């Protein structure tokens, strides 16, 4: 039976530490960090993510502004709103909730956010910083995965890590973070031939594909550390489930993350961490 890493419990611990840290900021810097979240349209999943982010800010003492724009808003209006926030010195982080309606060019919007306010770490300059090992903002989900591995004292150096999924927001950045920590990393995707033979070699297996219970027990070796990033609806029950068949896989894994309550809460917690980091960078506190 495996150890289940509770992203919820680890998040609570990290949030409590951040709450104490932020409480010192008014005296030290005259204000608290300020995160602005822009939500375009009324997609229920996006609304729920945005509510979660606002709640986390409230809990920690970070100032939060949520800007709601109608689904039919023009790209130009959205870009000018972002330009305004870029120029506003009281704003430390800007997040545009994705996905955006199809008439808006997502890349153009992400690129319009100033690099030093891009809390999601999706701006091309932040992506380049990650791959070139320069200071920058690391995307929240991969950052949260590393925090979870560290919390359980998982040794990454020298391990065979397999990542399933090569998205810009999870698969690629987590592969780089593992590589930077000296794992030997294999990245798999939809064209990988004989995927189970590759995943069975993993000592650390990260799954980010978006297919309910795709990774079954026969694809995992005894003692593997399994991190499940997937958020899916079970086609039968309609309940939330991951990309990993949790019950049977947890019989073989040494450490595993649940869905819900695993990577999800850590993503929001790392967004808070990024907001604080950007604030401190702006205040010059990271150089003291
Ligand atoms: P994505 O952009 O949808 O990409 C999915 C990746 O999985 C692609 O690289 C794809 O390969 C690969 N894939 C799909 N089917 C596969 C198969 N049968 N065998 C092997 N690889 C396969 O993924 P994403 O945005 O990273 O999201 C992945 C999952 O994580 C989703 O469920 C999403 O909701 C969840 N997620 C959760 C969080 C969180 O905070 N918990 C954050 C982000 C995402 P190709 O490249 O070849 O198409």
């Amino acid at each position: 039976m495996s150890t289940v890493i509770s992203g919820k419990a680890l998040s609570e611990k990290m949030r409590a530490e951040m709450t104490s840290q932020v409480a010192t900021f008014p005296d030290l810097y005259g204000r608290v960090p300020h995160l602005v979240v822009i939500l375009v349209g009324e997609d229920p999943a996006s609304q729920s993510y945005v509510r979660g982010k606002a709640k986390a800010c409230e809990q920690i003492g970070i100032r939060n502004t949520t800007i709601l724009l109608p689904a039919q808003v023009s790209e130009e209006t959205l870009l000018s709103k972002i330009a305004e926030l870029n120029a506003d010195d009281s704003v430390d982080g800007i997040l545009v909730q994705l996905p955006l309606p199809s008439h808006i060019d997502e890349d153009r919007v992400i690129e319009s956010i100033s690099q030093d306010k891009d809390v999601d770490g999706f701006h091309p300059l932040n992506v380049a910083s990650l791959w070139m090992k320069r200071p920058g903002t690391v995307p929240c989900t991969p950052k949260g995965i590393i925090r979870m591995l560290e919390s359980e004292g998982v040794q990454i150096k020298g391990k065979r890590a397999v990542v399933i999924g090569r998205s810009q927001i999870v698969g690629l950045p987590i592969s780089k973070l593992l590589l930077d920590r000296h794992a030997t990393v294999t990245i798999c995707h939809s064209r990988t031939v004989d995927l189970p033979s590759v995943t069975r070699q993993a000592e650390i297996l990260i799954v980010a594909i978006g297919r309910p219970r795709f990774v079954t027990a026969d694809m995992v070796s005894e003692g593997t550390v399994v991190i499940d990033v997937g958020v899916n609806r079970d086609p039968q029950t309609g309940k939330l489930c991951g990309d990993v068949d949790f019950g049977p896989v947890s019989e073989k894994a040494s450490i595993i993350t649940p869905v819900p309550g695993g990577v999800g809460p850590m993503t929001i917690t790392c967004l808070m961490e990024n907001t604080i980091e950007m604030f401190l960078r702006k205040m010059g506190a990271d150089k003291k």
Side-chain angles (χ1 to χ4, degrees), residues 141 166-167 170 189-191 208-211 214 229-231 264 267:
T141 303
R166 54 177 164 180
S167 69
V170 189
H189 43 79
S190 64
R191 271 73 144 197
I209 51 181
R211 292 180 185 257
F214 179 87
V229 185
V231 179
T267 297

Side-chain angles (χ1 to χ4, degrees), residues 109 120 122 275:
V109 169
D120 259 337
F122 294 164
T275 307

Side-chain angles (χ1 to χ4, degrees), residues 252-267:
K252 290 176 92 176
S254 58
I255 294 174
I256 191 164
T257 62
V259 178
V263 174
M266 289 300 292
T267 297

Side-chain angles (χ1 to χ4, degrees), residues 1-4 203 221-226 250 252-256:
M1 203 55 202
S2 53
T3 300
V4 178
E203 293 169 285
S221 291
E222 209 67 49
T224 303
V225 173
V226 180
S250 68
K252 290 176 92 176
S254 58
I255 294 174
I256 191 164

Side-chain angles (χ1 to χ4, degrees), residues 162 164 188 194-202 205 219-221 224:
V162 174
I164 323 182
C188 302
D194 193 7
L195 182 65
S197 75
V198 183
T199 57
R200 277 196 289 268
Q201 289 174 33
L205 178 64
M219 296 170 72
V220 177
S221 291
T224 303

